[in-house]
């Protein structure tokens, strides 16, 4: 079975991308999942514009992402919190996806994660990010994980130096898989 | 005193732009406000990317918009609802604005409106749109207005054919002005 | 398998109780579920008070409700919207339940419904009501149903006169069952 | 001018009551406000029940509280966070208040605070608590304050041992007053 990692950041060294890949590695190593990565930087989705959609149709980057979503049973989203709510990048991505029919997010299992350099980790943004996924019929896992001080804790080669955080990530990944495998 | 109209849509014939301009006309005609319009299509804000910000600084469109905000006492936002929550366009715009220091939205009075062709008008999106403004210290007016069936009710020359909706728009505009003039 | 109906209203002729029972009837007749009803009026939960909890323990009504929850695989909640958000009755009920360990709501499937005499039906309240359930680990079904004009549409003997609403209720009940039976 | 303190907890030694009173003391000592306290334990509001309201009218405790609200220009609310959202006690209180006409909360300035023994302090609950106040037309101050580890930091005689938290409370109180005095 396939899992799609969706880091909702355009940064090359995105903490959220690292967090997604740590979870992905767990799913490949401890469970029999095949993990793929959506690269929003490469997909280059433009800001949603209904006129552009009418004139030129769905952008190719959106179609590529939708294909990745259709091929996956579940999506691991890692998204920064901006201004106490969902990141504009994630929302714009969802807005485009929702223009494709049939709705690609309906019935998908979603796990929401957030990594940030600050102490709080983005818990408010995570709660806001649930809404558009749930409005589109995704099964968003109740538990979410906001990893604070991620720039100190997570290394370039995806090691987690804080043992408590590491175990929490692994436990959540395992429980999420247990739920969708039911 | 100045009011900025901020239609959070890139569409040329945006219903939300029309709704903003109807309120703006009221503020110019019945109150002594000078109204200006932020044109997100022209400002062409790219999707927020921290790497781009580090390499190239704040995009010029963001700086232009921030100048418009700094020159206004209040902002009238018209935004579509997408997927039960804030539009990605509005959120991306706020995310960019919040990168400029000092925070341009702190202490600004904000009135949130939504127009949509459907019956509901976007009330759920409005409630979500409050959050980033409030997180940034804006005084978002408690009452908001979601105009449903706006494509039928609002004409190209900004006439509102539904008398009840028209009076509601005018009442809300007057009350908002009464509040910020206090 | 068992389903618990939880109308979050103390009114004797509660529209939300009727809506819950209509869904419950569908689950008994078209699926092999056994349905029971939580009667918050009889359970008489006091307003949550930490001092009372310390002195006297968990009220018996809470324990009765928790037993009902533990014996059910899923919960159908019907709740009015008050002031754009969750009803105080529902929130107080959840606050008491959350004091019992182990957490009775973790892993339960929850379907949220709302009936109201007004046109809107309570959709904003439903979105707010998701949060405490999800914070406690319940799997809240993505789709929710807000039935407006319920006092006109739903009769005392639980007939639904609006054919479109009736079919929508039945479809949602069937899909919810399909999901939890997976 | 008058300010009403509204600690939304029934506990005798409520941390939220202490936090409200610390802010109230600041408003009396550094500004010319007269502060009064709403005591929800004494007011003994029953859980909202439409049948009771129809048969017996608004409970006397609600009327007393409404009188206190009408006599105040602003309300300082201190509320615990339960299960990631508004406390049932606060919501039930608002639900009752909203049954009195004309709406006592319309146009009132509200400052939301939260104290908790844990590290987080209740920021998610604060964001949820805004909604019913704003739906009723209150001007909820954009900034809110969640004081974590309050049982360690706040003494019985209302001293705040953490200097940073103390200064933050005083700054917020002063800014709130500056806003409503405008």
């Amino acid at each position: 079975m396939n899992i799609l990692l969706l880091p909702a950041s355009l940064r090359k060294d995105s903490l959220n991308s690292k967090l997604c890949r740590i979870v992905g590695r767990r799913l490949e190593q401890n469970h029999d999942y095949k993990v793929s990565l959506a690269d929003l930087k490469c997909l280059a989705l433009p800001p949603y514009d209904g006129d552009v959609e009418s004139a030129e149709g769905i952008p190719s980057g959106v179609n590529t992402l939708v294909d990745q979503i259709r091929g996956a049973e579940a999506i691991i989203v890692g998204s920064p919190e901006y201004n106490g709510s969902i990141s504009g990048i994630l929302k714009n991505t969802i807005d485009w996806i929702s223009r494709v029919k049939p709705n690609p997010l309906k019935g998908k299992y979603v796990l929401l994660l957030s990594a940030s350099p600050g102490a709080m980790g983005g818990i408010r943004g995570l709660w806001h990010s649930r809404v558009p996924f749930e409005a589109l019929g995704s099964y968003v896992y109740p538990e979410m994980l906001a990893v604070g001080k991620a720039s100190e804790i997570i290394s370039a080669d995806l090691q987690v130096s804080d043992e408590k955080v590491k175990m929490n990530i692994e436990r959540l990944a395992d429980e999420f898989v247990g739920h969708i495998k039911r």
Side-chain angles (χ1 to χ4, degrees), chain A residues 8-21:
Chain A
S9 169
L10 305 184
R11 275 202 178 107
K12 193 166 170 297
D13 285 323
S14 160
L15 293 169
N16 281 286
S17 174
K18 286 175 188 158
L19 181 55
C20 281
R21 284 179 286 145

Side-chain angles (χ1 to χ4, degrees), chain A residues 22-147:
Chain A
I22 288 167
V23 172
R25 186 181 56 193
R26 178 80 181 181
L27 300 187
E28 290 194 319
Q29 290 179 351
N30 288 46
H31 308 277
D32 50 345
Y33 276 98
K34 196 176 167 319
V35 169
S36 58
L37 181 74
D39 185 333
L40 289 182
K41 183 88 174 190
C42 292
L43 293 171
L45 312 190
Y48 177 73
D49 182 334
D51 289 342
V52 169
E53 184 190 1
S54 298
E56 307 170 20
I58 302 290
S60 65
V62 176
N63 284 323
T64 302
L65 179 57
V66 165
D67 286 345
Q68 290 186 291
I69 292 171
R70 292 207 199 284
E73 192 182 5
I75 308 170
I76 314 282
V77 176
S79 179
E81 169 186 295
Y82 293 139
N83 305 308
S85 53
I86 190 171
S87 79
I89 293 296
L90 179 54
K91 191 60 191 9
N92 187 57
T93 302
I94 298 172
D95 289 351
W96 270 118
I97 293 169
S98 72
R99 302 300 299 167
V100 179
K101 306 300 165 202
N103 169 3
L105 287 168
K106 187 171 165 61
K108 296 294 175 187
Y109 287 86
V110 173
L111 178 66
L112 291 176
L113 311 171
S114 181
S116 81
M120 294 273 290
I123 192 66
R124 292 179 300 156
L126 287 176
W127 279 97
H128 267 251
S129 300
R130 297 185 73 92
V131 175
F133 282 107
E134 295 180 325
L136 289 164
S138 299
Y139 303 121
V140 183
Y141 198 63
E143 189 175 346
M144 303 180 284
L145 184 62
V147 176

